[in-house]
Amino acid sequence: MASRDQHSQQQNQTRKVPLFPLLSLVCFVSIFLLLSSIRKTSVPPRPHNASFEFQKTEGSNPSLRGGLCDYSDGSWIRSPDDPPRYDNTCKEIFKGWNCISSGKSNGRELLKWRWKPKGCDLPPFQPIRFLKMYRDTSIGFVGDSLNRNMFVSLFCSLKRVSSEVKKWRPAGADRGFTFLQSNLTLAYHRTNLLARYGRWSADANGGVLESLGYKEGYRVDVDIPDGTWAEALSFHDILIFNTGHWWWAPSKFDPTKSPMLFFEKGRPVVPPVLPDVGLDMVLKHMVMLIENRTKAGAIKFFRAQSPRHFEGGDWDQGGSCNRLNPLLVEQVEDLFSVKNNGTNVEARLVNQHLYKSLKGSSFQILNITHMSEFRADAHPSTAGGKKHDDCMHWCLPGLTDTWNDLFIKQLNVIKSRN
């Protein structure tokens, strides 16, 4: 009987174990797991590239794969002590881009900003190391004058540390140089549309376009590359392409007086299409052609669109770019949002076409658009020597130096993986 009472007391003691600490622990663990799941699934979208999420998949920026840094997303921070990688005495700098020599008021101040990606750093590339790593290599820039802007930046950076240079025109380039000690070649192939184009006039004997009332314009052969770069594909080991600015240029291709008239397989595209459709056609053919004709092992980049910063009107309407500091985030969205359809909307519109055409290809996307949207202060403006403000090209030294930092960072990532 005594043992039974003792056993009953032990059961009662077991039942009386306090439940509050145990329940608290369970609640705490549940809340922690819930918050962790929310943090993983509800990352707020970034407005500047929310439409281009496929960049993180095949054919995109290699630095985005494997969970590494997205160097295109960040902010500009003051860095007044960083030494310039070259100066305004580099002879290859086009006079209209040499903002220091031209006396632009912030020509030196604009160099005191550094791009800081979120969660990592993008250090300036090392010219001496680059010349050693890419010995016996040929790099071709193919595109409009903004690609020349980038080409000159890279040349001047390398010329400062390696002065023995041969000037020539490899593979029909507009201009080119070989650094003799390392046998590294840089070349620039000028092309505005990538495709071949030229003046078109109505035939006296008539034709399809003539029957529609067209008298003159520009013939654009969407499936034929511009002759200025046709030989570049089999010559260069690394290629950087761009196009875009001329497609949204009514002053060059007036839709009424001198419209773009697209031809495919030698025949006019009927009914005639607008430039944005023509751009898609050109990109489709050129991407396919480049993929098929580049030399084995060649690395191909397509640079995203460089933004303009005209305020108060377009270039021929009194527009200007007089800012002395980078824009704030909200100012960037006001100036470039597609929804606002402002003067400078071109950059993001072109990118939509580029990214769609490059999806699934072996091209690497050099996404310089967002970092450049902040730099309204870095254009030649009135120092460009033109009748109007130059708010399209960039001062040198200047922003395109950072483009090359990004280009070489991505290039090194690819080289290390190969």
Side-chain angles (χ1 to χ4, degrees), residues 24-67:
S24 299
L25 179 61
V26 171
C27 290
F28 177 80
V29 172
S30 300
I31 292 171
F32 176 80
L33 292 174
L34 179 62
L35 291 174
S36 297
S37 66
I38 291 173
R39 186 176 299 173
K40 291 178 181 178
T41 58
S42 62
V43 178
R46 286 181 284 123
H48 68 273
N49 63 358
S51 301
F52 312 132
E53 287 303 314
F54 83 83
Q55 281 186 288
K56 299 182 181 180
T57 61
E58 183 183 358
S60 67
N61 184 334
S63 65
L64 297 181
R65 296 188 218 127

Coordinates of all heavy atoms in Angstrom, one line a residue, residues 24-67:
S24 N 6.8 28.4 -24.7 CA 7.6 29.6 -25.1 C 8.7 29.2 -26.2 O 8.8 29.9 -27.2 CB 8.3 30.3 -23.9 OG 7.3 30.7 -23.0
L25 N 9.3 28.1 -25.9 CA 10.4 27.7 -26.8 C 9.8 27.3 -28.2 O 10.3 27.7 -29.3 CB 11.1 26.4 -26.3 CG 12.2 25.8 -27.2 CD1 13.3 26.9 -27.4 CD2 12.8 24.6 -26.5
V26 N 8.6 26.6 -28.2 CA 8.0 26.2 -29.4 C 7.5 27.5 -30.2 O 7.7 27.6 -31.4 CB 6.7 25.3 -29.1 CG1 5.9 25.1 -30.4 CG2 7.2 24.0 -28.6
C27 N 7.0 28.4 -29.5 CA 6.5 29.7 -30.2 C 7.7 30.4 -30.8 O 7.6 30.9 -31.9 CB 5.8 30.6 -29.2 SG 4.2 30.0 -28.7
F28 N 8.8 30.5 -30.1 CA 10.0 31.2 -30.5 C 10.5 30.5 -31.8 O 10.8 31.2 -32.8 CB 11.1 31.2 -29.5 CG 12.4 31.8 -29.9 CD1 12.5 33.2 -29.9 CD2 13.5 31.0 -30.4 CE1 13.7 33.8 -30.3 CE2 14.6 31.6 -30.8 CZ 14.8 33.0 -30.8
V29 N 10.6 29.2 -31.9 CA 11.1 28.5 -33.0 C 10.2 28.7 -34.2 O 10.6 28.9 -35.3 CB 11.3 27.0 -32.7 CG1 11.6 26.2 -34.0 CG2 12.4 26.8 -31.7
S30 N 8.9 28.7 -34.0 CA 7.9 28.9 -35.0 C 8.0 30.3 -35.7 O 8.0 30.4 -36.9 CB 6.5 28.7 -34.5 OG 6.3 27.4 -34.0
I31 N 8.2 31.3 -34.8 CA 8.3 32.7 -35.3 C 9.6 32.8 -36.1 O 9.6 33.4 -37.2 CB 8.3 33.7 -34.1 CG1 6.8 33.7 -33.5 CG2 8.6 35.1 -34.6 CD1 6.8 34.5 -32.2
F32 N 10.7 32.2 -35.6 CA 12.0 32.3 -36.3 C 11.9 31.7 -37.7 O 12.3 32.3 -38.7 CB 13.0 31.6 -35.5 CG 14.4 31.6 -36.2 CD1 15.2 32.7 -36.2 CD2 14.8 30.4 -36.9 CE1 16.4 32.7 -36.8 CE2 16.0 30.4 -37.5 CZ 16.8 31.5 -37.5
L33 N 11.3 30.5 -37.8 CA 11.1 29.8 -39.1 C 10.2 30.6 -40.1 O 10.5 30.8 -41.3 CB 10.6 28.4 -38.9 CG 11.5 27.4 -38.2 CD1 10.8 26.1 -38.0 CD2 12.8 27.2 -39.0
L34 N 9.2 31.2 -39.5 CA 8.3 32.0 -40.3 C 9.0 33.3 -40.9 O 8.9 33.6 -42.1 CB 7.1 32.5 -39.5 CG 6.0 33.4 -40.2 CD1 5.4 32.6 -41.4 CD2 4.9 33.8 -39.3
L35 N 9.7 34.0 -40.1 CA 10.4 35.2 -40.5 C 11.5 34.8 -41.6 O 11.7 35.5 -42.5 CB 11.1 35.9 -39.3 CG 10.1 36.6 -38.4 CD1 10.9 37.1 -37.2 CD2 9.4 37.7 -39.1
S36 N 12.2 33.6 -41.4 CA 13.2 33.2 -42.3 C 12.6 33.0 -43.7 O 13.2 33.4 -44.7 CB 13.9 32.0 -41.8 OG 14.6 32.2 -40.6
S37 N 11.4 32.3 -43.7 CA 10.8 32.0 -45.0 C 10.3 33.3 -45.7 O 10.4 33.5 -46.9 CB 9.6 31.1 -44.8 OG 8.6 31.7 -44.0
I38 N 9.8 34.3 -44.9 CA 9.4 35.6 -45.5 C 10.6 36.3 -46.1 O 10.6 36.8 -47.2 CB 8.7 36.4 -44.4 CG1 7.4 35.8 -44.0 CG2 8.5 37.9 -44.9 CD1 6.7 36.5 -42.9
R39 N 11.7 36.3 -45.4 CA 12.9 37.0 -45.9 C 13.4 36.4 -47.2 O 13.9 37.1 -48.0 CB 14.0 36.9 -44.8 CG 15.3 37.7 -45.1 CD 16.3 37.6 -44.0 NE 15.7 38.2 -42.8 CZ 16.3 38.1 -41.6 NH1 17.5 37.5 -41.5 NH2 15.7 38.6 -40.5
K40 N 13.3 35.1 -47.4 CA 13.7 34.5 -48.6 C 12.8 34.7 -49.8 O 13.2 34.6 -50.9 CB 13.9 32.9 -48.3 CG 15.1 32.6 -47.4 CD 15.1 31.1 -47.2 CE 16.3 30.8 -46.2 NZ 16.4 29.3 -45.9
T41 N 11.5 34.9 -49.5 CA 10.6 34.9 -50.6 C 10.1 36.3 -50.9 O 9.5 36.5 -52.0 CB 9.4 34.0 -50.2 OG1 8.8 34.5 -49.0 CG2 9.8 32.6 -50.1
S42 N 10.3 37.3 -50.1 CA 9.7 38.6 -50.4 C 10.7 39.7 -50.6 O 10.7 40.7 -49.9 CB 8.7 39.0 -49.3 OG 9.4 39.1 -48.0
V43 N 11.7 39.4 -51.4 CA 12.7 40.4 -51.7 C 12.1 41.5 -52.6 O 11.5 41.2 -53.6 CB 13.9 39.8 -52.4 CG1 15.0 40.9 -52.7 CG2 14.6 38.7 -51.5
P44 N 12.1 42.8 -52.2 CA 11.5 43.8 -53.0 C 12.2 43.9 -54.4 O 13.4 43.8 -54.5 CB 11.7 45.1 -52.2 CG 12.8 44.8 -51.3 CD 12.8 43.3 -51.0
P45 N 11.4 44.1 -55.4 CA 12.0 44.2 -56.8 C 12.7 45.5 -56.9 O 12.4 46.5 -56.4 CB 10.8 44.2 -57.7 CG 9.7 44.7 -56.9 CD 10.0 44.3 -55.4
R46 N 13.8 45.5 -57.8 CA 14.5 46.7 -58.1 C 13.9 47.3 -59.4 O 13.9 46.6 -60.4 CB 16.0 46.4 -58.3 CG 16.7 46.1 -57.1 CD 18.2 45.8 -57.3 NE 18.4 44.5 -57.9 CZ 19.0 44.3 -59.0 NH1 19.4 45.2 -59.7 NH2 19.1 43.0 -59.4
P47 N 13.5 48.5 -59.4 CA 12.8 49.1 -60.5 C 13.6 49.2 -61.8 O 13.1 49.1 -62.9 CB 12.3 50.5 -60.0 CG 13.3 50.8 -58.9 CD 13.6 49.5 -58.3
H48 N 14.9 49.4 -61.7 CA 15.7 49.6 -62.9 C 15.9 48.4 -63.8 O 16.2 48.5 -64.9 CB 17.1 50.2 -62.5 CG 18.0 49.3 -61.8 ND1 18.0 49.1 -60.5 CD2 18.9 48.4 -62.3 CE1 18.9 48.2 -60.1 NE2 19.5 47.8 -61.2
N49 N 15.7 47.2 -63.2 CA 15.9 46.0 -64.1 C 14.9 45.0 -63.8 O 15.1 43.8 -64.0 CB 17.3 45.5 -64.1 CG 17.7 45.0 -62.7 OD1 16.9 45.1 -61.7 ND2 18.9 44.4 -62.5
A50 N 13.7 45.4 -63.2 CA 12.7 44.4 -62.8 C 12.2 43.6 -64.0 O 11.8 42.5 -63.9 CB 11.5 45.1 -62.2
S51 N 12.3 44.2 -65.2 CA 11.8 43.5 -66.4 C 12.8 42.6 -67.0 O 12.5 41.9 -68.0 CB 11.4 44.5 -67.5 OG 10.4 45.4 -67.0
F52 N 14.0 42.6 -66.5 CA 15.1 41.9 -67.1 C 15.7 40.8 -66.2 O 16.9 40.6 -66.2 CB 16.2 42.8 -67.5 CG 15.7 44.0 -68.3 CD1 16.2 45.3 -67.9 CD2 14.8 43.9 -69.3 CE1 15.7 46.4 -68.6 CE2 14.3 45.0 -69.9 CZ 14.8 46.3 -69.6
E53 N 14.8 40.1 -65.5 CA 15.3 39.1 -64.6 C 16.0 37.9 -65.2 O 16.7 37.2 -64.6 CB 14.1 38.5 -63.7 CG 13.6 39.5 -62.7 CD 14.7 40.0 -61.7 OE1 15.4 39.1 -61.2 OE2 14.8 41.2 -61.5
F54 N 15.7 37.7 -66.6 CA 16.3 36.5 -67.2 C 17.8 36.7 -67.3 O 18.5 35.7 -67.6 CB 15.8 36.3 -68.6 CG 16.4 37.2 -69.7 CD1 17.6 36.8 -70.2 CD2 15.8 38.4 -70.0 CE1 18.2 37.6 -71.2 CE2 16.4 39.2 -71.0 CZ 17.6 38.8 -71.6
Q55 N 18.4 37.9 -67.0 CA 19.8 38.0 -67.0 C 20.5 37.1 -66.1 O 21.7 36.8 -66.2 CB 20.2 39.5 -66.5 CG 20.0 40.5 -67.6 CD 20.5 41.8 -67.2 OE1 19.9 42.5 -66.3 NE2 21.6 42.3 -67.7
K56 N 19.8 36.5 -65.1 CA 20.4 35.6 -64.2 C 20.4 34.2 -64.7 O 20.7 33.3 -63.9 CB 19.7 35.7 -62.8 CG 19.7 37.1 -62.2 CD 19.0 37.2 -60.9 CE 19.1 38.6 -60.3 NZ 18.4 38.7 -59.0
T57 N 20.0 34.0 -65.9 CA 20.0 32.6 -66.5 C 21.0 32.6 -67.7 O 21.9 33.4 -67.8 CB 18.6 32.3 -66.9 OG1 18.2 33.2 -68.0 CG2 17.6 32.3 -65.8
E58 N 20.8 31.6 -68.6 CA 21.7 31.4 -69.7 C 21.9 32.6 -70.5 O 21.0 33.4 -70.8 CB 21.1 30.3 -70.5 CG 22.0 29.9 -71.7 CD 21.3 28.8 -72.5 OE1 20.2 28.4 -72.2 OE2 22.0 28.4 -73.5
G59 N 23.2 32.8 -70.9 CA 23.5 33.9 -71.8 C 23.6 35.2 -71.1 O 23.6 36.3 -71.8
S60 N 23.7 35.3 -69.8 CA 23.7 36.5 -69.1 C 25.0 36.8 -68.5 O 26.0 36.1 -68.7 CB 22.6 36.5 -68.0 OG 23.0 35.6 -67.0
N61 N 25.0 37.9 -67.7 CA 26.2 38.4 -67.0 C 26.8 37.2 -66.2 O 26.2 36.7 -65.3 CB 25.8 39.5 -66.1 CG 26.9 40.1 -65.4 OD1 27.9 39.5 -65.1 ND2 26.8 41.4 -65.0
P62 N 28.0 36.8 -66.5 CA 28.6 35.6 -65.8 C 28.8 35.8 -64.3 O 28.7 34.9 -63.5 CB 29.9 35.4 -66.5 CG 30.3 36.7 -67.0 CD 29.0 37.3 -67.4
S63 N 28.9 37.1 -63.9 CA 29.1 37.4 -62.5 C 27.9 37.2 -61.7 O 27.9 37.1 -60.4 CB 29.7 38.8 -62.3 OG 28.7 39.7 -62.7
L64 N 26.7 37.0 -62.4 CA 25.5 36.8 -61.6 C 25.2 35.4 -61.3 O 24.4 35.0 -60.5 CB 24.3 37.4 -62.4 CG 24.3 38.9 -62.7 CD1 23.1 39.3 -63.5 CD2 24.3 39.7 -61.4
R65 N 25.9 34.5 -62.1 CA 25.7 33.1 -61.9 C 26.5 32.6 -60.7 O 27.5 33.1 -60.4 CB 26.1 32.3 -63.1 CG 25.2 32.6 -64.3 CD 25.5 31.7 -65.4 NE 25.5 32.4 -66.7 CZ 26.5 32.4 -67.6 NH1 27.5 31.7 -67.3 NH2 26.4 33.1 -68.7
G66 N 26.0 31.6 -60.0 CA 26.7 31.1 -58.8 C 26.6 31.9 -57.6 O 27.3 31.7 -56.6
G67 N 25.6 32.8 -57.6 CA 25.4 33.6 -56.4 C 26.4 34.7 -56.1 O 26.5 35.2 -55.0

